[in-house]
Each structure stands twice: as C-alpha cells, then as structure tokens.
Amino acid sequence: MASIPSGLMDDLLTLEYSQFEDVTLTAVDLDPASLAHARANCERLGTPVQVEFEQRDAWDLGSPGRWDLVTSNGLNIYIDDDVRCVDFYRSIAAALRPHGFFIMSFITRPETWQPSDVRDLELQRYLFREVLPVKWQCVRDENLTRAQLSEAGFEVLQVEYDQQRMFPSVVARKRS
C-alpha cells in the first residue's frame, strides 16, 4: 500500500496489521521534509510492518502495477487545473495492480458545507482567505470528482461525506 503524498502517513501507519503477513507500506512524497516526518512518525508509532520511503513526483511514479491500494488525502486540493488533476489520478491508476483500490478525498464547494454553527463557517472563510491565505482552495463537487476518476480509469464504489459535508472520502477501484 502507498500513501501519495505521504505527509505524516497517518492514513496507513495507524491501521492494525496484526492479522496480516507480508505488508509493505510506501510513503511517496516529493518533499524530503515530509518523508523525514513520515519516517519519524513511523518510528514513534513502532509500526510492525515494512515501510519504505520514496521521494517521487506523483505524476511520474514509475511503478506500474506496484500497489494493491493507494491513499491520497490532500494533493488534489492544490491542483486547480482539472486536466492536471485527471493526470494525477491516471498516474495512480497506472501504479495500481488490476482492480486495485484508490482511497482519496476532496474539498467540496463552501456553499455546500453544513457546519454545526454558521458562525464557524464565517470564521473559517475569513481565516482561510484573509489571515492564512491558503493555497488549497481547489474545490470540486462529487459529480466532477466522479467524472475525473472515471476518465482516469476508476470505478467509484463509495463516497462518504463527513458530518459537515466539507471533506468527503472516496473509495474507487481501478477498472481492468
């Protein structure tokens, strides 16, 4: 399994592996500092499986059919070009074995968010636009995300929304 980009790699390092044999996790990130943080996180957690750390470009993985499962939580929120986003998904599809799984997430459009308190939404918008001008404002809706994944060679199996409908998770399978 691989986490692309890895960040701290919590998505895979915090899972329970005691019932499985021959598990290898791969942290893939272009940023060497992120890989160093993932390595430190792995050591801190005492992960009982083999973990590899690779500095690579997510659009040029060079690993055809390597993984059974890839997770990606965050890279697409920095990609404002829809064609480039599909190219990223294609790169993931190429790196998966036949019928491999892709678990990813995306940020929905702010007008669809359902915060528990509307004042929270106003504060978030102010913070993200004025105080901390974030670069990850590439929002997409479910229909666009499904279409992009389909174009890249995936079948979407499930879309699971969080309580505030801000950051849904997607489970997709590579088509043969």
Side-chain angles (χ1 to χ4, degrees):
M1 296 184 282
S3 180
I4 305 170
S6 67
L8 291 175
M9 207 178 169
D10 278 340
D11 53 355
L12 296 179
L13 291 177
T14 57
L15 298 176
E16 172 60 48
Y17 296 102
S18 63
Q19 302 298 316
F20 300 96
E21 294 180 18
D22 298 325
V23 173
T24 301
L25 307 178
T26 308
V28 177
D29 209 303
L30 190 57
D31 178 19
S34 289
L35 291 171
H37 290 302
R39 185 182 303 275
N41 196 29
C42 180
E43 291 170 5
R44 182 183 62 80
L45 293 170
T47 306
V49 298
Q50 181 178 338
V51 183
E52 300 170 346
F53 303 88
E54 299 179 9
Q55 186 176 351
R56 293 179 180 261
D57 185 320
W59 283 266
D60 187 23
L61 293 170
S63 302
R66 180 174 175 188
W67 294 295
D68 294 304
L69 180 139
V70 171
T71 63
S72 183
N73 294 298
L75 186 56
N76 60 353
I77 67 177
Y78 295 95
I79 307 168
D80 59 357
D81 181 336
D82 287 333
V83 172
R84 187 155 164 77
C85 192
V86 171
D87 287 343
F88 165 59
Y89 297 153
R90 278 193 184 108
S91 176
I92 297 296
L96 283 168
R97 293 185 177 129
H99 306 291
F101 292 93
F102 182 34
I103 300 174
M104 50 85 69
S105 51
F106 63 99
I107 291 183
T108 58
R109 300 182 190 291
E111 59 270 17
T112 66
W113 295 353
Q114 297 175 357
S116 51
D117 186 335
V118 175
R119 292 174 296 183
D120 292 344
L121 181 58
E122 293 167 5
L123 180 59
Q124 283 177 333
R125 285 181 180 161
Y126 175 76
L127 284 173
F128 292 149
R129 289 189 179 141
E130 304 299 326
V131 179
L132 306 167
V134 295
K135 297 178 182 178
W136 49 259
Q137 295 192 17
C138 303
V139 298
R140 293 179 171 87
D141 62 28
E142 181 180 336
N143 290 335
L144 177 57
T145 300
R146 283 178 175 274
Q148 289 176 329
L149 287 166
S150 179
E151 186 178 342
F154 288 100
E155 171 192 5
V156 174
L157 303 176
Q158 182 176 354
V159 176
E160 186 71 32
Y161 282 83
D162 59 290
Q163 188 176 19
Q164 297 184 67
R165 300 190 64 80
M166 296 172 76
F167 205 56
S169 297
V170 178
V171 177
R173 180 174 45 215
K174 178 180 175 177
R175 292 192 301 260
S176 57

